[in-house]
Amino acid sequence: MHGEPLSPQDIDVTTPSVARMYDYLLGGEDNYDSDRKACEILLTEVPSTRELALNNRLFLRRVVRYLAEERGIDQFIDHGSGLPTRDNVHEVAQRVHPEASVVYIDNDPIVLAHGRALLATNKHTAVVQADMRDTDHIFEHPETRRLIDLSRPVAALFVSVLHCLPDEDDPAGLVRDVMRRLAPGSCLVICQLVSEHSHVRAFVTDFMHRTTHGNWGRVREEGEVRAYFQGLDIIDPPGLVEVSTWLPDNDLAPRQKTFEWKEWGGVGIVP
């Protein structure tokens, strides 16, 4: 599934990329006109989209800090990591554990180019070019084997990526495949886009599928995401929640204000 390596020459700037759209919503500069136009359409139909992206990034920082500080985890595998931005996983983790190991997984050539440049001097961090569905390739990759000790607890991150997988790719099965490779005490961080409104699920799913030329899955419902946690002990409180309410730093921390759709999930421990 991992196929031939992609290079910057492979970038189709006319087709929006989920990673570059997310970069635009976060105020980044590594995006193209096609990405920006797609985001503006989403913002018209689903006005909370930018707020959702920002809150999701804050959740990622909080959860990594929590796992490093409270659970002592110093190994992270970030599936579908996206473009580098301020306070990446390794920066948050290494403030707690200076030698924390982080493996970023992505197959977007822009992500790879920027990530490798950013991490060139950080020996405890690597970017692996892979499709996140190709678990064998990821876990057998030399960089993963160099940095990750599977006999000790690992945090596997699936933050805002499983909605990119269609049902036929079995995202719940992917989570189980990763879970069975991890030592007891490991944690899986899982959240994805959900909506209680059928028209929002239908619009966003259809729009993103057409816009990205099929590189999309589905906006799901909470019950479907809950099934991803089967076999895991959910950290509760806070349980499975809209992510801006997952152990917020304080009462003034940003919250999602409208709920056309939301990022929903939490953290499960491998028993």
Side-chain angles (χ1 to χ4, degrees):
M1 186 181 292
H2 48 276
E4 292 299 319
L6 297 174
S7 69
Q9 288 72 36
D10 297 315
I11 298 170
D12 176 6
V13 301
T14 65
T15 300
S17 148
V18 174
R20 298 193 310 259
M21 289 174 66
Y22 190 54
D23 176 71
Y24 171 68
L25 291 168
L26 291 175
E29 298 178 351
D30 296 308
N31 50 75
Y32 296 96
D33 189 52
S34 61
D35 308 304
R36 296 187 284 272
K37 286 180 177 177
C39 286
E40 292 304 326
I41 293 172
L42 274 180
L43 286 164
T44 298
E45 296 291 331
V46 196
S48 61
T49 297
R50 177 170 280 114
E51 182 181 61
L52 180 148
L54 292 167
N55 278 326
N56 184 66
R57 191 71 195 181
L58 292 173
F59 164 70
L60 176 65
R61 296 172 191 164
R62 288 198 311 279
V63 78
V64 170
R65 186 178 71 231
Y66 168 86
L67 292 174
E69 290 180 346
E70 303 298 326
R71 304 204 67 88
I73 290 180
D74 61 359
Q75 305 183 99
F76 296 80
I77 303 176
D78 187 3
H79 295 81
S81 53
L83 284 154
T85 184
R86 188 171 64 85
D87 269 359
N88 297 287
V89 171
H90 72 282
E91 293 168 318
V92 176
Q94 288 171 2
R95 286 191 199 113
V96 182
H97 305 292
E99 296 187 352
S101 297
V102 179
V103 176
Y104 293 103
I105 310 298
D106 214 298
N107 63 353
D108 185 305
I110 288 187
V111 171
L112 296 165
H114 282 268
R116 286 172 176 158
L118 179 69
L119 303 175
T121 60
N122 191 314
K123 65 180 181 179
H124 299 293
T125 312
V127 180
V128 171
Q129 178 170 317
D131 187 311
M132 66 179 169
R133 295 166 289 192
D134 198 347
T135 312
D136 287 340
H137 176 59
I138 291 167
F139 278 80
E140 293 168 7
H141 194 281
E143 289 287 63
T144 306
R145 294 168 69 91
R146 176 176 72 88
L147 290 170
I148 304 297
D149 177 359
L150 293 175
S151 70
R152 298 194 299 109
V154 176
L157 311 181
F158 292 93
V159 176
S160 196
V161 294
L162 293 177
H163 48 245
C164 296
L165 299 183
D167 292 342
E168 54 266 31
D169 286 338
D170 190 13
L174 170 61
V175 171
R176 288 193 299 271
D177 188 18
V178 171
M179 179 178 70
R180 70 177 178 82
R181 300 167 189 261
L182 302 180
S186 295
C187 292
L188 282 86
V189 181
I190 306 165
C191 66
Q192 81 138 78
L193 292 167
V194 303
S195 179
E196 298 175 2
H197 306 292
S198 59
H199 66 281
V200 172
R201 294 196 302 271
F203 167 77
V204 175
T205 297
D206 178 66
F207 173 76
M208 289 298 295
H209 194 270
R210 286 186 288 106
T211 299
T212 63
H213 294 183
N215 290 315
W216 183 254
R218 184 163 63 86
V219 178
R220 296 183 169 93
E221 298 178 75
E222 290 181 7
E224 296 176 279
V225 178
R226 186 175 293 278
Y228 298 161
F229 290 85
Q230 184 175 359
L232 296 166
D233 297 328
I234 297 170
I235 292 178
D236 189 7
L240 303 183
V241 294
E242 184 272 309
V243 299
S244 76
T245 66
W246 196 92
L247 299 183
D249 290 330
N250 54 60
D251 290 340
L252 300 178
R255 297 287 197 280
Q256 182 102 356
K257 296 182 177 64
T258 60
F259 292 95
E260 303 96 348
W261 62 347
K262 57 191 176 185
E263 286 278 357
W264 193 86
V267 181
I269 306 169
V270 177

